[in-house]
Amino acid sequence: MKNFILSLVIILLFIPGCTKNNHPEPVDTSKNPPHEVYTADIIDTKAPKYFVASATMPDGSLFGVSGTTLTTWNPANDEIKTIGNAWSGMVSPNADKIAYTDDQGLQVLDVDTGSVSPVEPNPTMGDSSLALGVWSPDSGKFMYMFVREWSSDYFIYNVETGEKKAYEFVNIPNFLSRPVDWHDNGLLFAVHANKSKSGEQEYRESGYRSDLMLADIEGNFTPITELDDGQFALYCGTTSDNQTMLVVIWEGESKTTVGLLNTGDGKIDFISAGENTVGGSIGPDGKFAILTNATEGGRFSVRIFDLQSSIGILEKELAGYEQPRHFMWSDDGRTVSFGLQGDDENGILYTVNIK
């Protein structure tokens, strides 16, 4: 198994409380109907050469990068359209724009007109390299960054005006931080700490811990999680109402745990999700999640998890040696798709149907 795949153990203890009752009342089971039992199946479809899907377009086609080419592919009729050469690309929430990087730097493409707006002319700046970030929910702004070893320089590009503005961290150190999402109420960052909670500040490759933090447009950060030293939060998406996030908590080199984070009070309800969980995504209604697990031989599997009954309803080992990064849910939360590079030159589209 690759050296980054950890030997993980997840243990959850549920201890029910008991209260003595000498005159028990009959239980009205009609008020507590049994939980609906769901099943799921997964199908895989051959995708174009090197194609890995990352977003769904309004016409039902899928957007992705095929090697070094921005591409859309419609699985229904196998129609393939090439957009242009790029190293990476990210579609805006309304699918009108595509931010992409190439050897010319960062550009934003207008999907309808085909016009291209240069944003950054170079793919590097000093000792840092250019990377895509996150789109605002209204598709009007895009955050990107120049990544250095310990910190990054962040910028926000205004699509309408063409203005780009540096984004500064006001009340916390900018250390191994990265934007992971952009909600209506602010930017969501994963932030690492360069100092322990007891005051130590020595060299550590990943810092002492990482938390999820909400940041406003002025750079003021508010923690959502308050993890202990040695714990690192991995963001795995949120529900459509932004009330519940799926998180994976890494704890040193020993284990991970999976939980549902209440964004209102910061509490995490941990779920028994098995060992070696390395990522995943939560459905828009919060009823189901898809979890990625590391398996023997350096491969990965996915598991569909019913969050209402806390059980897994499907598990599938995946082709290739890369874990899925982009999960595309239907609006009703009953279908989720993701793309991977297969064992040969062809891409693979996996589609899970929950019934």
Side-chain angles (χ1 to χ4, degrees):
M1 182 180 295
K2 294 182 178 179
N3 56 11
F4 67 89
I5 299 175
L6 310 177
S7 174
L8 309 170
V9 178
I10 298 177
I11 303 176
L12 294 180
L13 298 179
F14 296 92
I15 306 177
C18 298
T19 303
K20 185 177 180 180
N21 185 354
N22 293 327
H23 302 284
E25 297 294 329
V27 177
D28 183 0
T29 57
S30 65
K31 294 181 179 180
N32 298 287
H35 175 71
E36 185 174 356
V37 177
Y38 292 93
T39 61
D41 59 41
I42 184 168
I43 60 173
D44 56 85
T45 305
K46 179 181 175 182
K49 186 176 180 180
Y50 302 131
F51 180 81
V52 177
S54 61
T56 303
M57 303 299 283
D59 63 357
S61 63
L62 300 175
F63 169 82
V65 178
S66 181
T68 57
T69 305
L70 299 178
T71 305
T72 62
W73 168 59
N74 193 326
N77 56 20
D78 208 30
E79 182 180 16
I80 301 172
K81 296 181 180 179
T82 58
I83 300 172
N85 293 328
W87 296 342
S88 62
M90 185 178 293
V91 178
S92 63
N94 64 7
D96 284 348
K97 303 288 190 298
I98 299 174
Y100 67 94
T101 60
D102 59 13
D103 56 3
Q104 301 300 310
L106 171 65
Q107 337 279 341
V108 171
L109 169 70
D110 187 295
V111 174
D112 292 332
T113 66
S115 63
V116 175
S117 300
V119 180
E120 285 288 351
N122 298 303
T124 61
M125 183 171 65
D127 60 348
S128 62
S129 58
L130 181 63
L132 298 178
V134 289
W135 280 98
S136 64
D138 64 1
S139 302
K141 297 181 177 66
F142 183 75
M143 172 172 274
Y144 63 97
M145 68 209 81
F146 282 93
V147 181
R148 296 193 301 273
E149 183 177 5
W150 300 112
S151 63
S152 300
D153 296 313
Y154 295 97
F155 298 87
I156 294 180
Y157 172 72
N158 188 306
V159 173
E160 183 176 350
T161 66
E163 178 188 11
K164 55 185 179 183
K165 182 179 179 180
Y167 184 83
E168 304 291 344
F169 285 40
V170 174
N171 60 333
I172 64 166
N174 179 3
F175 176 74
L176 292 178
S177 305
R178 67 188 187 281
V180 295
D181 211 338
W182 193 333
H183 301 154
D184 290 327
N185 57 342
L187 287 147
L188 184 66
F189 277 79
V191 180
H192 291 240
N194 63 354
K195 182 184 294 186
S196 74
K197 289 194 171 183
S198 56
E200 292 88 359
Q201 193 169 11
E202 300 175 354
Y203 169 79
R204 290 195 175 189
E205 186 177 2
S206 299
Y208 285 89
R209 64 190 178 275
S210 72
D211 282 295
L212 296 177
M213 297 190 183
L214 193 65
D216 61 23
I217 201 70
E218 286 79 29
N220 299 293
F221 284 70
T222 302
I224 300 177
T225 61
E226 294 279 0
L227 299 183
D228 296 328
D229 288 339
Q231 296 181 323
F232 299 85
L234 173 64
Y235 173 72
C236 297
T238 185
T239 52
S240 56
D241 60 7
N242 293 330
Q243 297 300 306
T244 304
M245 295 180 185
L246 181 70
V247 294
V248 174
I249 308 298
W250 293 83
E251 298 190 45
E253 296 294 324
S254 59
K255 66 176 181 178
T256 63
T257 51
V258 182
L260 301 176
L261 170 65
N262 185 314
T263 58
D265 58 20
K267 293 181 179 179
I268 301 176
D269 291 328
F270 290 97
I271 59 178
S272 180
E275 299 179 357
N276 301 335
T277 304
V278 295
S281 178
I282 190 170
D285 58 5
K287 293 182 178 180
F288 301 95
I290 182 169
L291 304 176
T292 307
N293 296 325
T295 65
E296 295 292 336
R299 291 184 180 266
F300 297 90
S301 67
V302 291
R303 185 182 185 190
I304 305 302
F305 207 84
D306 182 347
L307 297 174
Q308 299 172 94
S309 62
S310 297
I311 61 172
I313 57 176
L314 180 143
E315 187 166 4
K316 171 74 172 180
E317 184 167 330
L318 305 175
Y321 292 91
E322 298 292 332
Q323 69 182 93
R325 304 289 182 181
H326 306 282
F327 296 95
M328 297 161 284
W329 290 87
S330 61
D331 292 338
D332 65 1
R334 296 299 180 270
T335 301
V336 57
S337 301
F338 57 93
L340 281 177
Q341 179 65 53
D343 291 316
D344 54 18
E345 294 181 344
N346 294 307
I348 299 176
L349 176 69
Y350 288 95
T351 303
V352 176
N353 298 295
I354 303 169
K355 300 169 283 187

